[in-house]
Amino acid sequence: MRRVRYLNGMDWVVTGLMHELWQCAGTGNWSQVVVQLAGELDDEAFCAAVQRFHGAHPILQGKTVRGWQLAPCWIIPRSRHGHRPPIPYVRRSMPADTAMENVVRDLQHALMLPPGYPGSYTGFTSLRRGGETFLAFRFDHRLFDARGAERFLLALIEYAESGSHAPPPPQTHVAESAHLRPWKEKFESGRRVLQVLRKQRVHTPFRLPRRATSVGAFRFSLLALDSEQTARLIDRAYEQAGYLMLTPYVVAKALEAVDAFLRTRREPLAGYVIPCSTDMRQSPSDAYFNHIALTCFSTAAGADPTTWASLFARQFYEQTRDRMPSHFENAWKLARILPASVYGTLMSGLFRDFAGSFSVANVGGGLSDLTSMGGCHVRNVFHMPLVPPAPGLGFFLNSWQERINLTLVSFDAVLSAAEHDDVFRHAVNLFLPPGK
Amino acid sequence: MSVQEELIGLVADMLDIPRDTIDPEAPLHTLGLDSMRLVEIMVFIETRYGLDLMADNLKREEIATLSALAQTIGNKQKP
């Protein structure tokens, strides 16, 4: 097995974000996938399978170093039998009548761990509510993006379901080159990216101002649509943005929610820039590390909101045609020159304007085939990612079977609890319009 | 190679699956395509055939399957 995996530009951006999160919120760059089960999971058996499975994947015990060419890389320990701390597996319980919003609030505490917690890039929380289990798989974004985490979790669940007590066979990892040359191409990509960003800044992009009080907390709200509500949402997306244009439609509706909230706050508005992550993995089976780039949507604040969905669909098309996600991916490789801690500081300071007004991501649907686990029927699968302190507000979309979930995340340095609830209320009205 | 065969090859490469598992009559979303992949198909069509289908406000049935897409391209190319 290869012991070194060079990090790409996005991996390094994610590492920089970890430092930014640590400085602003005292936590790492964590996210989690939550599997909601209609039954009580056998935690003893699943936890034992987790420990065996992780033990067979030394990559999960790696660390970042600078290679001899000064490119950052992930060093994978040589032995899979050496000493390693157990993977954290926390069990909690709540009364059966606990509201879903309180379940989400409880699960968010599992995310707030310091970075570099020894031997822990992953962890589990098994939360019981009456006869129901919420199994949360927490992961460090340095090792997985959301789609990769879903793939890893699926492999782990399949292993646990097999009932095997033997460790799974070791995995091989696709090598990633150091991408040190050609520099000219990367600088050209950087130039193209800056051109697009400048073009979008014709209207000064609105960004949420920092509040004076912050305890470094994040707030989450979950809008879980049932299959009928999802079908109606997809129909509306088709009418307003075009066939299969769900992502531009979600960006448009998220913007309407933020715009409606800001108007009640009487913020002076000029324009919006909304970065949206784009999946760049070469193979759907790529599990480890980050395979995403960005598409940036923009509009003037005074524009007619009913035109935003079709406008964003057009911007999505034009940026893909102009290979902007690839240029982002390529240009970010230059960022690896900087130490991650310096990069993190720049992102919360000098580069803050480039973070956009808020962010949107379609984080996947890779667990749609997961219908049961440990003898329990799966009721839903949703994501709970932390959002970078700048912009401090994010909408995350995931699908499971014929259903869509929308997770709203905000950082308390930009939105108070009441303001977060206001944005969420606007979002619910827009994603679930009454009478439709 | 026909237009439909080209599109099947493109989607097979995108999804990393064998060509013969792709039903050209199946709706694109059931093949596992999302907005990003659909846009990539549209970009391929513009590059290969010079047609900007995104600007044409096509009906769903004109682009909802690979077979329909191939037929739409054929119709647009007719003088």
Side-chain angles (χ1 to χ4, degrees), chain A residues 147 234-235 238 241 243-248 278-285 295 313-314 316-318 320-321 325 362, chain B residues 13-16 27-29 33-40 42-43 46 51-55 58-61 63-64:
Chain A
R147 289 168 198 260
I234 288 171
D235 280 346
Y238 163 64
Y243 177 54
L244 269 180
M245 287 292 137
L246 182 63
T247 301
T278 303
D279 184 30
M280 299 292 285
R281 50 184 25 81
Q282 298 294 316
S283 162
S285 61
T295 303
R314 188 68 207 172
F316 194 27
Y317 175 70
E318 287 173 354
T320 306
R321 183 190 60 199
N362 186 342
Chain B
D13 289 345
M14 273 178 189
L15 302 176
D16 202 15
L28 298 183
H29 66 274
L33 293 169
D34 56 12
S35 11
M36 180 69 196
R37 303 296 182 219
L38 178 70
V39 165
E40 285 175 357
M42 295 301 183
V43 170
E46 182 173 352
L51 299 170
D52 182 357
L53 297 187
M54 287 288 285
L58 296 170
K59 290 179 188 157
R60 188 177 189 155
E61 55 270 23
I63 55 170

Side-chain angles (χ1 to χ4, degrees), chain A residues 404-416:
Chain A
I404 281 175
N405 296 292
L406 186 78
T407 308
L408 174 69
V409 190
S410 69
F411 184 45
D412 73 347
V414 297
L415 286 187
S416 67

Side-chain angles (χ1 to χ4, degrees), chain A residues 66-353:
Chain A
R66 287 270 178 192
W68 64 272
Q69 305 140 306
L70 297 180
C73 53
W74 188 261
I75 294 286
I76 303 166
R78 190 176 296 278
S79 167
R80 64 190 181 105
H81 301 296
H83 172 74
R84 60 179 179 84
I87 303 302
Y89 194 102
V90 178
R91 290 165 220 195
R92 304 167 69 93
S93 63
M94 304 183 93
D97 59 354
T98 306
M100 190 61 195
E101 62 181 278
N102 291 331
V103 171
V104 170
R105 194 165 297 155
D106 191 84
L107 287 169
Q108 76 192 46
H109 295 305
L111 279 170
M112 304 299 283
L113 288 175
Y117 184 68
S120 156
Y121 298 106
T122 58
F124 288 82
T125 302
S126 177
L127 174 65
R128 208 70 95 228
R129 178 179 71 170
E132 213 178 7
T133 306
F134 294 85
L135 180 73
F137 167 50
R138 183 183 69 243
F139 57 93
D140 189 317
H141 260 308
R142 286 175 292 174
L143 202 49
F144 299 107
D145 61 22
R147 289 168 198 260
E150 284 190 337
R151 178 150 290 279
F152 177 83
L153 181 59
L154 187 62
L156 165 60
I157 292 171
E158 284 170 354
Y159 169 71
E161 294 290 289
S162 74
S164 168
H165 288 274
Q171 283 189 336
T172 52
H173 305 294
V174 178
E176 180 84 15
S177 86
H179 296 292
L180 293 172
R181 288 177 295 176
W183 284 102
K184 192 179 167 189
E185 192 182 282
K186 295 177 184 58
F187 281 113
E188 174 58 21
S189 288
R191 195 180 65 79
R192 297 284 293 274
V193 167
L194 285 174
Q195 266 178 352
V196 167
L197 291 178
R198 283 200 196 102
K199 190 176 159 191
Q200 292 185 329
R201 286 164 60 85
V202 171
H203 309 284
T204 307
F206 176 79
R207 60 183 170 86
L208 288 157
R210 295 257 174 177
R211 298 167 63 235
T213 54
S214 165
V215 294
F218 292 86
R219 294 187 181 85
F220 291 80
S221 294
L222 174 71
L223 175 61
L225 304 186
D226 62 27
S227 53
E228 283 180 16
Q229 291 166 335
T230 299
R232 288 199 292 273
L233 180 93
I234 288 171
D235 280 346
R236 289 196 299 277
Y238 163 64
E239 286 163 16
Q240 295 177 36
Y243 177 54
L244 269 180
M245 287 292 137
L246 182 63
T247 301
Y249 177 77
V250 168
V251 175
K253 290 297 137 183
L255 176 55
E256 275 191 61
V258 173
D259 187 64
F261 160 72
L262 292 173
R263 285 180 192 285
T264 62
R265 214 164 78 166
R266 298 179 186 279
E267 292 282 355
L269 307 175
Y272 297 103
V273 173
I274 306 131
C276 180
S277 70
T278 303
D279 184 30
M280 299 292 285
R281 50 184 25 81
Q282 298 294 316
S283 162
S285 61
D286 287 339
Y288 295 104
F289 302 103
N290 291 275
H291 306 270
I292 56 172
L294 288 183
T295 303
C296 280
F297 300 100
S298 64
T299 182
D304 177 5
T306 61
T307 64
W308 284 344
S310 58
L311 172 71
F312 293 159
R314 188 68 207 172
Q315 290 179 357
F316 194 27
Y317 175 70
E318 287 173 354
Q319 289 185 39
T320 306
R321 183 190 60 199
D322 298 341
R323 300 183 54 245
M324 283 314 298
S326 298
H327 286 307
F328 265 108
E329 195 181 34
N330 218 9
W332 275 333
K333 288 181 181 129
L334 295 170
R336 297 178 303 167
I337 297 165
L338 292 173
S341 54
V342 174
Y343 195 54
T345 305
L346 287 175
M347 279 192 277
S348 55
L350 196 63
F351 293 165
R352 193 161 174 241
D353 273 355

